[in-house]
Amino acid sequence: MDKFGHFDDASREYVITRPDTPWPWINYMGTEDFFSLISNTAGGYCFCRDAKFRRILRYRYNGVPMDAGGRYYYIKDDDTVWNPGWKPCKTALDFYECRHGMGYTRITGEKDGLRAEVTFFVPIGHRCEVHKVMLTNSGKEKKQFKLYSFAEWCLWNASTDMENFQRNLSTGEVEIEGSTIYHKTEYRERRDHYAFFGVNRPFDGFDTDRETFIGMYNGFEAPQQVLAGTSGNTRAHGWSPIASHRFDLELNPGESTELVFVLGYVENPQEEKFIAPGVINKKRALAMLEAFSTVEKADKAFAELKAFWDNLLGRFNVSSDVPELDRTVNIWNQYQCMITFFFSRSASYFESGIGRGMGFRDSNQDLAGIVHMIPDRARQRIIDIASTQFPDGGCYHQYQPLTKRGNNDIGGGFNDDPLWLIFGTVAYIRETGDFGILNEPVPFDNKPGTEVSLLEHLKISFRHVTDNLGPHGLPLIGRADWNDCLNLNCFSWNPDDSFQTTENKTEGTKAESLMIAGLFVAQGRDFAELLERIGDKDADGVKVAVKTMENAVKQHGWDGEWFLRAYDYYGNKIGSKECEEGKIFIESQGWCTMARIGADEGLCDKALDSTVKLLECEQGIVLNTPAYSKYIYEYGEISSYPEGYKENAGIFCHNNPWVIIGEAMAGRRDDVWRHYCKITPAFTKDKTLRKVEPYVFCQMVAGKDAAKPGEGKNSWLTGTAAWTWKAVSESILGIKPQFDGLLVDPCIPLQHGTYHVLRKFRDAEYHLEIKYTGKKGGYYIPYKPGVQKLTVEL
Ligand code: BGC
Ligand code: NOJ
């Protein structure tokens, strides 16, 4: 039992036992296109498809206190007003518990003999949040009390909602019908969607105007109507529309009552928008409300959601003698991979849902974490991503989920981007055996008529590197490579410039990347194997290019004890013993050792030794060392961060697994395990040091040079999820999907070497008992549909 909570593995939940966590500990809900973020005190918001353009609830990222706003239930019991999730009133509770589960969150509060349990979830097949509120009189006296709901509408575009007040404060519109409050701002013109908040019982009062409900000079913690036990029965015109229902309730001792609230979103075809001038067509909303009109219906939907996750998480299971490993592998890492796949890097408590859509490289990497669970969606994602590519192989750095069109809002010209398409596609085919995807016609930049096969896109991606080599025959870096902040061609002295979008010089540059070189060799090997497997004659050419690159790395990318990181615009070394700061970087050690460049000559072992010696610290492996202590014009954003944070010597958890995989390929079991345990939250002893959720990986843990080493940031949406999944499932537990089977090839300390794995693979189900005694080479299992039990000794 930790200070703030504990794991409940049997229920696949993390149980938070006090509400004042060091930072809001959140969960996600949604599986298709309606999604919600919910904190342990019910803060957060929801949206449909696009966190920027279809934001349903208003949320203030810079609020004080933070995480104010969400969907709140208030209980007024005599003179006491409280919330089941403690906030916003912060009335001391007799009992509090928040259970974050797979796609749902259940918050329970108890005060003075009244217990309120609210189960929040997004049901499968519906665009809504369901809130099942169960109230129980746990005391000895009859109770009369009032229950209020509360939600505040965002005026759809989350960005302009925070900016354009001269317009916003005049546009808000609502309708009230039955027990449902409809939010229809801008529906009168081009919008074909509205939101609603309804409940399966007639209310005793309501409000839709925020100032009447809360009071001009109050905050969420003291809504004047709740304090007075009244409702204003208001209809909002402009200002800030909200939705609140009031119920006057009575419960005998031991008695319970349940209400089912539905917070939903509806799109209507243009011709069906209105049923009378200005009156919205509520048919679809009513159908959704009907689907949850009873507790039984809500419970059934909840059971379906559970079954959905049981099925997904049932595709890979380990049973070992390390509970932290089992918990991470069987539950939280896979869950986080799914969430990261859904959201890319758009909406978390660190990403506002406004600035970033689906990243080209990010989304490709995310595939590695989910393809064994949702192969069809992986397939669609690959096609969507590839459709944004340019004919020369270059890429938009991101695309908007609503339109699936690429845009340059967060820059372009990152020269690692194209290679990730090979990475994602190979992962998909190895898992599914669906070579047919390679023949899918895929356009360039979404322009109809430009289609070529996906295979052609992969070839063009590969060529994009060989078409853009620098003076040492190494890949030109472009705006940056995986490290968005190593901006070697974007010289900026203007604080108003964004490093992501400011000018990226392409003329005269000598900036080359060893990270891309390693990535190219590793992906090139896989690509050649794929081409051979399908009998494509380009396989040989790919192999030659790979060999040439390996030689270039050995000749110009080796610093003596480790791999260099890059050459800058002028051709000077980065990540070399000759540098004053930033002598060694993790990315090139990870990629070049995964690519096994110079392994026979001992380069990989040396590079890994140097990584352990120089980059590893108590909490993980830092990105570079020594940290940059001042801004360097030629390097860009990396040197803009204070020492130890983010890309400037933070522990970027995303690339720790690269080293883990590199270590596993070199057979260094103890290093593998130590690195894995350091970044995996289930293993961290001090659960509050990181501040962020102890059940998911975070993008960055502050490194050894930071003012506060060990603090975590950017939890949830990070490539760490897919990469640690890949590292633990393939390299540590050793279950490696191949084009025609599975290779069992573990690298785990021998004392943990006996374990069971259930692995569903295509139409096969393997029950493996693995007894690992350290033999190299692996054990190959050709794919064959059906259930198979095997003992694998190696
Ligand atoms: C962050 C990077 C991120 C980039 C994306 C930078 O400020 O440090 O981690 O990839 O922004 O826009
Ligand atoms: C986070 C970004 O989402 C990812 O694309 C990038 O590779 C890393 N930061 C490192 O800069």
Side-chain angles (χ1 to χ4, degrees), residues 104 121 162 173 316 469 519 523 583 613 643 667 739:
Y104 68 90
F121 67 102
M162 296 195 299
E173 288 192 286
F316 194 121
L469 296 176
L519 177 68
Q523 297 317 307
K583 287 176 187 291
K613 189 164 140 213
E643 294 89 323
F739 290 124

Side-chain angles (χ1 to χ4, degrees), residues 345 351 356 361-362 365 397 416 481-485 623 646-647 652 654 699 717 719:
R345 308 296 175 270
E351 304 276 10
R356 300 177 63 180
R361 78 156 84 89
D362 292 337
Q365 291 172 77
H397 202 39
D416 63 315
D481 56 24
W482 171 89
N483 188 335
D484 276 329
C485 300
L623 193 144
K646 291 281 284 181
E647 281 87 344
F652 229 88
H654 183 151
Q699 180 207 59
L717 304 184

Side-chain angles (χ1 to χ4, degrees), residues 719-753:
T720 315
W723 274 104
T724 33
W725 174 252
K726 199 172 159 60
V728 73
S729 64
E730 297 185 13
S731 295
I732 299 180
L733 298 172
I735 314 295
K736 299 183 167 126
Q738 309 287 296
F739 290 124
D740 298 295
L742 285 180
L743 180 70
V744 182
D745 181 22
C747 187
I748 188 167
L750 300 184
Q751 69 269 29
H752 305 305

Side-chain angles (χ1 to χ4, degrees), residues 9 12 313-334 372 673 676 683 725 728-730 732-735 746 748 752-760 766-770:
D9 294 344
R12 298 206 182 101
L313 300 180
R315 296 193 62 80
F316 194 121
N317 260 272
V318 62
S319 158
S320 75
D321 61 358
V322 188
E324 293 86 350
L325 174 72
D326 293 4
R327 162 181 305 150
T328 305
V329 169
N330 298 341
I331 307 171
W332 292 98
N333 193 358
Q334 296 196 67
H372 67 292
W673 186 248
Y676 177 70
F683 286 97
W725 174 252
V728 73
S729 64
E730 297 185 13
I732 299 180
L733 298 172
I735 314 295
I748 188 167
H752 305 305
T754 300
Y755 52 93
H756 290 83
V757 170
L758 160 69
R759 176 65 153 96
K760 294 192 182 161
Y766 297 102
H767 296 255
L768 307 173
E769 184 186 15
I770 297 173

Side-chain angles (χ1 to χ4, degrees), residues 454-476:
L454 178 65
L455 179 62
E456 200 50 38
H457 277 266
L458 300 188
K459 290 185 179 176
I460 296 169
S461 297
F462 189 75
R463 266 205 309 273
H464 189 265
V465 175
T466 48
D467 286 349
N468 290 282
L469 296 176
H472 299 100
L474 296 165
L476 287 172

Side-chain angles (χ1 to χ4, degrees), residues 344 357-367 381-382 384-390 393-399 406 410 414 416-422 457 461:
S344 191
M358 316 295 287
F360 192 99
R361 78 156 84 89
D362 292 337
S363 295
N364 272 305
Q365 291 172 77
D366 293 346
L367 293 170
R381 180 68 63 82
I382 291 170
D384 289 348
I385 299 171
S387 304
T388 65
Q389 198 173 23
F390 296 114
C395 306
Y396 288 109
H397 202 39
Q398 73 162 7
Y399 70 94
I410 57 163
F414 298 83
D416 63 315
D417 270 341
L419 288 174
W420 294 111
L421 187 62
I422 300 180
H457 277 266
S461 297

